[in-house]
Amino acid sequence: MSPGIDALLEQARAGLHRLTPQQTVEAVRGGALLVDTRTDLQRREQGDLPGAVVIDRTVLEWRLDPASAWRIPEATGYDREIILVCRQGYSSSLAAASLQTLGLRRATDMIGGVDAWLAAGLPTTDRPADIRP
C-alpha cells in the first residue's frame, strides 16, 4: 500500500532546510543558484524571478548534476547551494529531495513558492527569462 503523496512530501521536506522568500533573496545575493521549475503558463501569469534560471522539471537532474554531460555551466559542484521554486512550494520540495539524493546536499526549495514571493512584495522582472532547455 502506498504511503500517499502527503507522506512523500513530508519525508522530502524533512531533509530540507527550506527558505522563506526573503531568505531566498539573501541566499541568491550570496551566490546560491535560483532555479525556477514553473511551466511557461505559470511564468506568464505570475512573472519571472530576477536572477532565476528556468529549467523544466523533466530534465532538472541532468542539468544540475555536475557529473552529467548535459549539465548547465552553473552546476559547478555537489556543494553548490541550489534553491528550487515552483508556483506554491510543493513540487519544488520533491525536486529538491531528488537533487539531494543525487548528491547535491545543499539543494532546497522556497516555502510557498512564487505565490509567497509575490505576497511578500518581492519583484518580478521584465527581462527575458533565462531558459535552459
Side-chain angles (χ1 to χ4, degrees):
M1 184 165 182
S2 171
I5 188 61
D6 291 335
L8 182 63
L9 184 62
E10 183 179 333
Q11 180 183 10
R13 288 179 172 169
L16 302 176
H17 176 72
R18 302 180 77 217
L19 303 177
T20 65
Q22 191 57 45
Q23 289 170 322
T24 298
V25 169
E26 294 303 316
V28 170
R29 283 187 188 143
L33 178 63
L34 182 60
V35 177
D36 189 341
T37 63
R38 291 175 300 150
T39 65
D40 291 339
L41 176 61
Q42 290 169 337
R43 290 189 358 267
R44 276 195 304 272
E45 289 174 351
Q46 293 182 301
D48 287 305
L49 303 184
V53 172
V54 177
I55 301 176
D56 190 273
R57 177 64 191 98
T58 61
V59 296
L60 188 70
E61 289 82 358
W62 287 268
R63 299 299 179 263
L64 295 177
D65 181 357
S68 170
W70 300 281
R71 71 186 174 279
I72 62 172
E74 295 86 351
T76 56
Y78 290 100
D79 60 345
R80 177 83 197 255
E81 184 176 13
I82 299 171
I83 304 165
L84 301 179
V85 62
C86 66
R87 185 176 193 122
Q88 296 178 321
Y90 294 100
S91 65
S92 59
S93 294
L94 297 175
S98 175
L99 292 178
Q100 283 191 352
T101 300
L102 189 62
L104 294 158
R105 61 179 180 79
R106 296 181 66 202
T108 191
D109 76 324
M110 187 174 74
I111 299 165
V114 176
D115 283 355
W117 179 279
L118 296 172
L122 294 170
T124 57
T125 183
D126 293 332
R127 299 184 76 177
D130 185 359
I131 300 172
R132 307 295 178 91

